[in-house]
Amino acid sequence: MKNKNIDSIIELSNELRWQIGDDFHDNLTEGIYADAAQIVADTVKVDSSKKRFRLDRQIDKIVTSKTFGFPIMFLILATVLWLTIIGANYPSSLLAQLLLDNVHPILKSGAAAINMPWWLDGFLIDGVYLAVAWVIAVMLPPMAIFFPMFTLLEDFGYLPRVAFNLDSLFRKSGAHGKQALTMTMGFGCNAAGVVATRIIDSPRERLIAIITNNFSLCNGRWPTQILIATIFIGAVVPSAFSSLISLIAVICIAVLGMGFMFGTSWALSKTLLEGQVSTFNLELPPYRPPRFWKTIYTSLIDRTMIVLWRAIVFAAPAGAVIWLISNVYIGNESVAAWTIHSLDGFGFLLGLNGVILLAYIVAIPANEIVIPTILMLTVSVTGIAGGAGAGVMFELDSVNATGDILRAGGWTLLTAVNLMLFSLLHNPCSTTIYTIYKETKSAKWTIFASIMPVILGFIVTFLVAQIWRIIF
Amino acid sequence: MNYNPIYALVLFFIIAGILFVLFRPNKGWFWVIKNNFRSNEKVVIEDILKQLYHFENSGNKVDTKTLVQMLKFNNKQIIEVVKKMTINDLIYFELDVLKLTDAGRDYALRIVRIHRLWERYLADKTGFSKEEWHNRAEMMEHKLSHDETNTLAAHLGNPKFDPHGDPIPTKTGKIAQVKGVELPLLPVNTVGRITHIEDEPDIIYKQILAENIHMGSLIRVVENNSTRIVFLSEGEEFILAPIVAANLTVAGIEKEVVIEDNIARLSSLKAEETAKITGISKESRGESRRRLLDLGFVKGATIKIDLTNPLGEPHAYLIKGTSIALRKDQAAKILIKKD
C-alpha cells in the first residue's frame, strides 16, 4: 500500500517535470544568479572612482600586445631554461664529486673493513647506492633552480597570460592554452608537468596534456642530449662552430618534441579522446607581488622533494637490477651481455644498438642514469680498458674520453642522432608513469601514455636509419 | 634474408599502409566488417520499424520497394525479415502498403526513444561533435535494454526534447508536440524561435552547422522567395537555400511577448563597447554551460572586452570584476544587448 503510494507520487512528479519542460532547470539557475547579482548590486558599494587595477592593465597591455607579447615570453622562458641548465652544472658537479668520488670509496672501504661478502657489497653500494647518488646529483640541482623560478612566475600571475597568448595555437591542435604551461613545466620534470595539468579543468584537454607531456625534454634528458651532441655533432663541423652547432642540434630536438606534442594532441583529440567532455575558460587573475620565501619553500617541498623522493624510490631498485644483470651469469655470459646480443639485431634496424636499448630498459626509473649505464655496458661488452668494474656505473670527466669509449662501442654519427631522437621519444620514466596513474586513475591511459611514445620513437629512428643508410 | 635499407623501408610502408586501410577511423575495413556483423535480424527489424514510423508520422505511404531502397541492408534479408514481421504481428499489408500494428508502433517508439535520448546524452555529457551524434545514436538504439534506457532517461532528468528539438517519447509512449512550421512557409517579417533542426540528410545538416545557426534562437524573416530565404538572428544575417531552410522548424511568437530586437552574440562585441548579457544560447550545453553560469555569465551582467589577443582569439572579457578568456565559438553562444 505504502509502496504503491510512493510509486504513484514518483510517477506524478515525473509527469509534472515532463510537463514543465527542459527550460525549467536553466531558468531556475539563471534566476538564482540574477537574484544574487541584484542583491550584490543593492548592498555592496564599489568605489567606481578607482579604476580597476591601473598597473595591471598597463602590464597586461604590454605582455599581450602584438609587438612585445611573444618576444617577452620567449625571453623569459629562455632565461629560465638557460639559468637552469647552466646554473645547475656547478652544484651538480659538486654533488657528484661528494657522493660519487668521496662517499662511494668510503663506503666501499667500510664494507671491506667489516668483511662484507662481495656480492652484497656490489649489490648495495655499486648498485643501489650509486644509482640513487646519481639521480640526486643530476636531478636535484636543476629542479631546485627551475621549480622556484617557475613558481615565482606563476605566483606573480604572468603564466596565465602566456596561456592566453598561446591558446590559439593550442586550440588548433585540440588542446588547451594552459598546456603551454604544463609543457614548459615538463622541461623541468615530466612528473611535475603531469601534476601541473591539474590547472586544466576540461577533461579532454587535461588528458591530452598528460599524455603529451613526455614530449617535453626533461632535466634528466638535457645532459644526455648536450653530451652526445657535443661529442658527435660538434665534431662534424670546424671546432670554432662546434659548440654553437651542438647547441642548435639540442634546440632542434626540443623543438621537434614540441612538434610531436602538437601533432599527437591533434591526433588524440580527433580520435581516441573525441568523446571526452571539452570546455574552455581561462581566468586572468590580477598581478600580485610574489611571496618570495613562501614560494621558494613550497616549491622546494611540494614539487622538488616529492619528485625527488619518488625518483629515489624508483632508482634504487634500478641500480640493483643494473648491478645484477652484469653479475649474474647464464652459462658463460652475463645476463647483460646475453640481452645485448639478442637486442643487437633490432637495435641495428633502428640505427641504435643493443647496449642503448638495454640501457633504456633498465633506466626506465630514471633517465639520468642512461649515459652511465651505456658507458658501463659498452666497456663490459667490448672489453676495452676503462670503467669501474662489472655493474658499476661511471661517467668520465673528459668529453673526449667518453667519445672514445662510445666510438669503440661502434657508435657512428647515425647512432648519435638516433640516440638523441630516441631520448626524446621513449616511454616516460617510471616516476612519471606512476604520476600519470595517480592523476588519471586509469590503467588504460597510463599504459597508452607509456607505450605510445616508444612506438613513435621506434618508427622515427627506424625511418631515419633507413633513409640515412640509403643516402650515405 | 639480407638486410637492405630500401627493402626495410618498403616493407615498413606496406605494413603501415595495411594498418591504415584496416584501422583508419570510421572507414577502416576492420570497423566496416565489425559493423556488418552487427546487421543481424534484430537490427533489420528495428530499422524497418523506425522507417515505417517516420513515414507514417509524415503521412507518407511505403511499399516494400521503397523500403528496400531506403535501408542499407541486403535486399533478400529485408524481404525475409518483412515476412517474419508480418507473422509476428509487428506490421501488416494494406494492399501493397506496409503499416505498423499497435505492437509494432510501440516497439518503434521505444527505438526512437533510445535514439533521441542517446543524442541528448552525447550532447550533454560527452564531447563528441554534432556531426557524430546521429550515427552514434543509430548504433546505440539497438543495444540499450528497456531498463537501461529508463536509467539513462532518469540520469538525464527525463528530457522532453533531443538536442535537435525532436520530442523524446516517454516510457509510456507520450510525445510532446513540436511547435512551429518549416521556415520557408513563414511570411516576411515574421518573428519566431527555431524549435527544431532536422539532422537528416547529412549534407544539409552539415550546411546548417557550418552556418552556425543555433537552436532556440529568435529570428526575423526579411526575405522569402523561391531562390533564397534571408533571416536575421542574434545580430547576424543568414542566407539559406529553400531546401536547406526546410530543415529548420520555426515557431511564431505571439504578439504579447516583448521582442528584444537588437540582441547580438558576444563574439561580435568590439573593444571599448559594453553590453548586458541577455542569456546563454541553447547550443551551449552540459558542462560548458554550467561553467559559464558558474563564472557569472548570467542574465543582466555587464560585460566588456578586457584584453584582445595577439593571435585574434581568445579575447578576455571583464565580467563581475574578473577577467575571463573565452574562445570565439563560446562567445558566439552568449547573447548580449549592446549598450
Side-chain angles (χ1 to χ4, degrees):
Chain A
M1 180 62 208
K2 222 176 183 180
N3 270 338
K4 208 176 161 196
N5 247 337
I6 290 171
D7 281 345
S8 67
I9 289 174
I10 290 175
E11 198 58 42
L12 181 68
S13 80
N14 279 341
E15 178 72 15
L16 289 174
R17 188 166 173 182
W18 192 74
Q19 280 176 13
I20 291 171
D22 288 350
D23 292 345
F24 169 69
H25 235 96
D26 288 351
N27 291 342
L28 185 67
T29 341
E30 275 176 17
I32 292 172
Y33 276 108
D35 280 351
Q38 195 56 51
I39 294 170
V40 171
D42 289 347
T43 52
V44 181
K45 276 200 183 120
V46 181
D47 188 0
S48 57
S49 62
K50 249 206 264 166
K51 275 276 164 85
R52 175 181 164 267
F53 343 103
R54 277 233 91 102
L55 184 63
D56 274 49
R57 304 235 353 118
Q58 295 313 315
I59 301 177
D60 268 344
K61 281 259 160 65
I62 295 169
V63 299
T64 66
S65 79
K66 267 194 177 133
T67 6
F68 300 113
F70 290 101
I72 289 178
M73 198 174 68
F74 287 123
L75 205 67
I76 290 182
L77 294 182
T79 313
V80 169
L81 281 180
W82 186 80
L83 281 178
T84 307
I85 294 168
I86 304 301
N89 274 340
Y90 306 99
S92 266
S93 58
L94 272 181
L95 272 175
Q97 208 174 13
L98 177 72
L99 295 175
L100 304 176
D101 299 343
N102 292 334
V103 176
H104 184 241
I106 294 174
L107 284 177
K108 286 294 264 189
S109 53
I114 58 166
N115 282 327
M116 202 185 256
W118 72 270
W119 52 269
L120 187 61
D121 153 53
F123 180 85
L124 287 179
I125 298 172
D126 292 336
V128 175
Y129 169 79
L130 216 49
V132 170
W134 224 293
V135 168
I136 293 178
V138 181
M139 197 169 176
L140 182 59
M143 286 211 301
I145 296 174
F146 182 80
F147 286 145
M149 282 200 289
F150 203 77
T151 318
L152 281 177
L153 282 178
E154 198 177 10
D155 207 35
F156 173 57
Y158 177 64
L159 293 187
R161 272 74 184 176
V162 174
F164 176 74
N165 282 345
L166 288 175
D167 181 67
S168 197
L169 295 179
F170 284 86
R171 185 182 59 88
K172 282 179 192 129
S173 61
H176 196 295
K178 284 181 189 164
Q179 193 172 324
L181 309 187
T182 63
M183 181 192 81
T184 319
M185 187 71 129
F187 285 129
C189 169
N190 293 137
V194 170
V195 175
T197 60
R198 286 179 191 171
I199 58 172
I200 301 173
D201 48 12
S202 166
R204 182 201 291 174
E205 281 77 0
R206 175 152 187 235
L207 264 177
I208 291 178
I210 289 177
I211 292 170
T212 58
N213 196 272
N214 186 44
F215 294 126
S216 297
L217 215 50
C218 71
N219 265 330
R221 293 184 269 173
W222 284 108
T224 310
Q225 299 280 353
I226 294 171
L227 180 72
I228 300 297
T230 316
I231 295 174
F232 288 92
I233 294 177
V236 180
V237 293
S239 56
F241 301 111
S242 66
S243 62
L244 180 69
I245 292 295
S246 44
L247 181 69
I248 290 176
V250 175
I251 291 174
C252 280
I253 294 283
V255 171
L256 187 71
M258 287 190 218
F260 273 103
M261 187 273 299
F262 278 116
T264 322
S265 298
W266 178 82
L268 282 175
S269 71
K270 289 281 176 261
T271 56
L272 287 178
L273 293 177
E274 62 173 353
Q276 303 280 334
V277 176
S278 159
T279 63
F280 175 84
N281 56 68
L282 175 64
E283 200 177 328
L284 301 173
Y287 293 98
R288 59 171 180 216
R291 290 156 299 177
F292 191 78
W293 293 113
K294 186 166 180 261
T295 305
I296 301 269
Y297 174 78
T298 50
S299 74
L300 281 180
I301 297 301
D302 289 353
R303 287 179 172 157
T304 313
M305 280 310 162
I306 286 178
V307 171
L308 186 67
W309 173 243
R310 278 190 190 169
I312 289 174
V313 168
F314 284 111
V321 168
I322 290 170
W323 188 84
L324 283 175
I325 56 167
S326 317
N327 287 284
V328 174
Y329 281 79
I330 305 177
N332 50 7
E333 256 190 340
S334 69
V335 175
W338 184 82
T339 326
I340 289 169
H341 292 316
S342 39
L343 285 175
D344 258 338
F346 184 57
F348 176 76
L349 262 187
L350 302 179
L352 300 168
N353 58 39
V355 169
I356 297 174
L357 291 181
L358 178 61
Y360 269 99
I361 294 172
V362 293
I364 286 176
N367 284 300
E368 287 81 356
I369 54 174
V370 164
I371 288 294
T373 312
I374 286 177
L375 287 176
M376 182 272 284
L377 291 173
T378 307
V379 167
S380 73
V381 172
T382 53
I384 51 175
V392 187
M393 292 177 280
F394 66 92
E395 221 164 35
L396 296 168
D397 293 334
S398 134
V399 169
N400 286 334
T402 313
D404 289 341
I405 289 186
L406 292 178
R407 284 197 189 89
W411 283 46
T412 60
L413 185 56
L414 171 65
T415 325
V417 170
N418 272 358
L419 174 76
M420 287 170 76
L421 287 170
F422 196 68
S423 155
L424 174 73
L425 302 169
H426 70 281
N427 56 290
C429 67
S430 52
T431 315
T432 309
I433 296 177
Y434 176 66
T435 313
I436 292 175
Y437 181 71
K438 288 274 262 189
E439 294 297 315
T440 59
K441 295 267 183 297
S442 146
K444 184 176 96 179
W445 292 122
T446 312
I447 292 171
F448 179 79
S450 316
I451 308 269
M452 187 267 296
V454 195
I455 294 177
L456 260 182
F458 285 161
I459 293 175
V460 169
T461 50
F462 172 82
L463 289 177
V464 170
Q466 310 316 314
I467 292 167
W468 186 287
R469 282 170 191 153
I470 291 171
I471 294 175
F472 298 106
Chain B
M1 201 180 88
N2 283 330
Y3 167 79
N4 179 328
I6 297 178
Y7 293 159
L9 215 52
V10 169
L11 193 66
F12 171 82
F13 281 116
I14 291 174
I15 293 175
I18 292 174
L19 285 178
F20 175 76
V21 169
L22 279 180
F23 293 107
R24 80 181 141 149
N26 297 325
K27 288 179 192 156
W29 290 0
F30 177 80
W31 312 120
V32 171
I33 291 168
K34 205 174 144 203
N35 280 348
N36 275 350
F37 267 111
R38 186 184 63 89
S39 64
N40 53 26
E41 209 175 81
K42 178 168 180 280
V43 176
V44 183
I45 292 179
E46 292 178 349
D47 278 0
I48 292 177
L49 286 172
K50 206 174 55 167
Q51 277 305 334
L52 288 180
Y53 173 79
H54 288 313
F55 273 115
E56 286 192 1
N57 252 14
S58 52
N60 291 322
K61 289 180 176 160
V62 199
D63 52 15
T64 323
K65 208 173 129 200
T66 3
L67 193 66
V68 170
Q69 281 167 358
M70 290 294 302
L71 297 170
K72 286 176 207 149
F73 297 113
N74 179 329
N75 294 357
K76 235 163 83 192
Q77 199 183 9
I78 296 181
I79 310 261
E80 249 168 57
V81 170
V82 166
K83 229 180 262 167
K84 243 185 221 166
M85 285 164 76
T86 42
I87 296 169
N88 289 342
D89 238 4
L90 289 170
I91 52 177
Y92 64 97
F93 279 95
E94 230 179 53
L95 299 173
D96 58 347
V97 175
L98 279 164
K99 294 236 162 172
L100 287 170
T101 63
D102 282 346
R105 186 183 311 277
D106 275 356
Y107 196 165
L109 267 179
R110 220 159 62 219
I111 303 303
V112 171
R113 172 170 153 86
I114 302 174
H115 181 100
R116 293 183 179 165
L117 269 176
W118 195 254
E119 284 190 348
R120 182 71 192 222
Y121 167 78
L122 292 176
D124 287 0
K125 309 277 181 191
T126 72
F128 288 107
S129 66
K130 289 178 187 177
E131 291 94 341
E132 294 207 15
W133 293 347
H134 183 73
N135 287 335
R136 287 186 179 269
E138 288 279 279
M139 308 260 275
M140 210 57 195
E141 64 192 14
H142 308 297
K143 285 186 192 153
L144 283 187
S145 73
H146 192 61
D147 287 341
E148 283 167 336
T149 315
N150 290 337
T151 323
L152 177 68
H155 178 59
L156 296 173
N158 288 316
K160 209 168 177 179
F161 295 99
D162 78 359
H164 308 298
D166 280 315
I168 302 175
T170 61
K171 227 180 341 190
T172 49
K174 202 156 58 159
I175 301 177
Q177 282 303 310
V178 180
K179 289 189 199 123
V181 294
E182 288 172 10
L183 179 56
L185 301 177
L186 286 180
V188 172
N189 258 331
T190 341
V191 175
R193 190 180 284 285
I194 299 177
T195 53
H196 176 228
I197 299 178
E198 178 55 48
D199 61 351
E200 273 180 307
D202 226 22
I203 310 162
I204 293 185
Y205 183 54
K206 277 193 183 138
Q207 239 171 303
I208 296 176
L209 287 185
E211 289 282 346
N212 257 324
I213 296 169
H214 293 168
M215 264 293 289
S217 39
L218 281 175
I219 67 163
R220 177 194 291 280
V221 184
V222 293
E223 190 184 327
N224 185 349
N225 52 44
S226 56
T227 54
R228 61 180 209 165
I229 289 162
V230 182
F231 63 91
L232 296 176
S233 171
E234 299 170 352
E236 332 241 320
E237 190 185 61
F238 298 92
I239 303 168
L240 295 180
I243 186 173
V244 179
N247 271 14
L248 297 176
T249 309
V250 178
I253 288 197
E254 295 88 34
K255 288 262 155 31
E256 301 90 73
V257 182
V258 186
I259 297 154
E260 301 196 56
D261 227 0
N262 53 348
I263 289 179
R265 295 178 176 176
L266 180 57
S267 48
S268 70
L269 192 71
K270 307 227 161 41
E272 310 302 324
E273 284 179 335
T274 59
K276 274 209 165 47
I277 295 182
T278 60
I280 301 178
S281 159
K282 284 263 170 292
E283 290 290 327
S284 175
R285 303 182 174 90
E287 195 71 14
S288 307
R289 190 186 185 90
R290 262 232 314 276
R291 239 350 110 66
L292 286 177
L293 287 171
D294 283 350
L295 290 169
F297 290 86
V298 290
K299 206 183 269 175
T302 339
I303 192 163
K304 62 180 257 192
I305 288 191
D306 188 39
L307 281 177
T308 50
N309 195 293
L311 295 177
E313 195 185 354
H315 291 319
Y317 297 96
L318 189 62
I319 181 147
K320 293 187 187 294
T322 328
S323 183
I324 308 266
L326 294 181
R327 289 176 177 169
K328 232 175 233 160
D329 60 327
Q330 290 176 297
K333 289 170 191 160
I334 294 170
L335 303 177
I336 53 167
K337 197 178 159 187
K338 289 184 188 173
D339 290 339

